[in-house]
Amino acid sequence: MTKREQINNKAMKILKQRTTRQLLDLWEMTTISNDPNIPTVRGWIMDELASRFPEAFDKWLDSDTDDSMLRQYVLG
């Protein structure tokens, strides 16, 4: 297993242990950061939310709304 795969697996394991609200808080925190790793972190968060709420997540993706609306789609 490559180092990148190990990091991805560890990150996904950590995110699976977070509540949905915690994930959404993390998602919203990533919108104000300029760290070059943020796209990767956002990808991990999206993957976890998509696995928990596939229909709501797909509706959000198709909605043409901004990132801040994800919470409304997931929590209803």
Side-chain angles (χ1 to χ4, degrees):
M1 183 179 298
T2 68
K3 180 78 168 174
R4 178 178 289 271
E5 290 170 329
Q6 290 173 349
I7 292 169
N8 285 340
N9 289 341
K10 184 175 181 177
M12 293 309 297
K13 184 178 179 181
I14 290 168
L15 291 176
K16 284 188 183 310
Q17 296 172 2
R18 301 289 184 246
T19 67
T20 299
R21 288 187 190 277
Q22 288 173 324
L23 289 173
L24 291 167
D25 289 345
L26 288 170
W27 172 257
E28 290 166 357
M29 287 175 23
T30 66
T31 64
I32 59 172
S33 177
N34 292 327
D35 187 295
N37 296 306
I38 289 300
T40 301
V41 173
R42 288 172 66 89
W44 292 332
I45 296 168
M46 287 191 294
D47 287 347
E48 181 58 27
L49 289 169
S51 72
R52 293 182 191 192
F53 306 97
E55 289 180 30
F57 189 83
D58 286 345
K59 284 181 185 178
W60 172 73
L61 282 178
D62 294 338
S63 71
D64 261 351
T65 60
D66 62 32
D67 291 353
S68 66
M69 299 297 291
L70 180 56
R71 182 180 294 268
Q72 288 181 292
Y73 278 85
V74 169
L75 296 180

